[in-house]
Amino acid sequence: MVFFRCWPTLKNFTEVGLNVTEAGNSTCDTLARNIARGTYHCWHNYWNYERTYGPLLDSNKKVYVVRTEHLWRDFDEIEAALVGSESGSGPTTVAGQKSGGGSKEVTNRFERNGDELSLLGRQNLCRALCREIQVYKKILRLSVNLSAAEKNKTLQELAKTCPLEADEAGCGKEGEGVLQNDPLVHSV
């Protein structure tokens, strides 16, 4: 796969491939920008929030959000809203496990290889994913199952990883081609 010919690790991709100050026009530089923008058909980046949910976000449909880090509680709240009962009032089945309104911690089952993202890599990745982050914020804003406090809590969690993108209302030139006048971004 061409990705691994350009960058042997994710850390290298984020530090070198997504470094906009050193971006050129080589095949690898172009590939890095296209992967981050979701214009190169690979992995999750292509089927990103905007491509998958964008058309629904401008409709009058109700948006229910299930956040991975709050999976159990969000499913429980949605069930309560759809069934018309109080949250946690009955057993809920999530992935085959029963709960009486309890909590289930979501953990990453994959082992880490010690190749953690550096501060530079994380900043580059956040900047490259700025448009995706803006759409994510719009999804949060439109959610009918999250309270204002829950939405704010999630934005605070986002700000721990990507502080600039969490606070911005749009993405400039450094946001890898995201335009300041994009109505989808500004309505967040």
Side-chain angles (χ1 to χ4, degrees):
M1 169 176 266
V2 70
F3 180 92
F4 294 107
R5 280 185 259 149
C6 291
W7 313 281
T9 65
L10 180 61
K11 182 178 181 179
N12 187 259
F13 171 72
T14 61
E15 290 178 355
V16 178
L18 296 179
N19 190 337
V20 295
T21 59
E22 297 177 18
N25 291 319
S26 73
T27 300
C28 290
D29 294 330
T30 302
L31 180 63
R33 289 189 296 272
N34 290 341
I35 287 172
R37 289 180 187 149
T39 57
Y40 182 78
H41 196 236
C42 73
W43 308 314
H44 166 76
N45 293 44
Y46 181 77
W47 293 105
N48 57 24
Y49 288 133
E50 183 176 17
R51 181 168 276 114
T52 305
Y53 304 111
L56 296 173
L57 299 179
D58 292 324
S59 69
N60 291 327
K61 303 218 182 282
K62 288 183 178 181
V63 176
Y64 292 90
V65 171
V66 177
R67 302 161 295 169
T68 302
E69 63 277 11
H70 305 288
L71 181 76
W72 196 262
R73 183 175 12 157
D74 289 348
F75 268 124
D76 198 36
E77 294 289 334
I78 291 171
E79 179 186 43
L82 295 176
V83 175
S85 63
E86 291 186 31
S87 174
S89 63
T92 303
T93 303
V94 177
Q97 298 191 16
K98 299 259 183 186
S99 168
S103 177
K104 174 100 174 124
E105 183 180 342
V106 177
T107 58
N108 185 349
R109 295 177 302 166
F110 299 104
E111 291 184 29
R112 299 197 183 259
N113 64 4
D115 195 21
E116 302 289 327
L117 294 181
S118 66
L119 177 60
L120 173 64
R122 190 176 66 222
Q123 290 170 339
N124 288 342
L125 187 59
C126 289
R127 182 175 38 252
L129 293 176
C130 185
R131 184 180 186 97
E132 181 80 344
I133 292 168
Q134 302 312 310
V135 175
Y136 174 74
K137 289 172 16 183
K138 183 172 184 177
I139 292 169
L140 283 175
R141 185 179 59 78
L142 293 173
S143 67
V144 296
N145 62 303
L146 299 179
S147 68
E150 284 294 316
K151 292 174 187 180
N152 190 43
K153 178 181 177 182
T154 299
L155 290 173
Q156 289 172 357
E157 291 166 353
L158 173 62
K160 291 177 185 175
T161 304
C162 297
L164 296 176
E165 294 74 14
D167 289 338
E168 290 176 353
C171 307
K173 185 176 180 184
E174 289 187 352
E176 292 293 314
V178 179
L179 304 175
Q180 286 289 359
N181 61 357
D182 188 326
L184 181 64
V185 171
H186 281 290
S187 63
V188 176

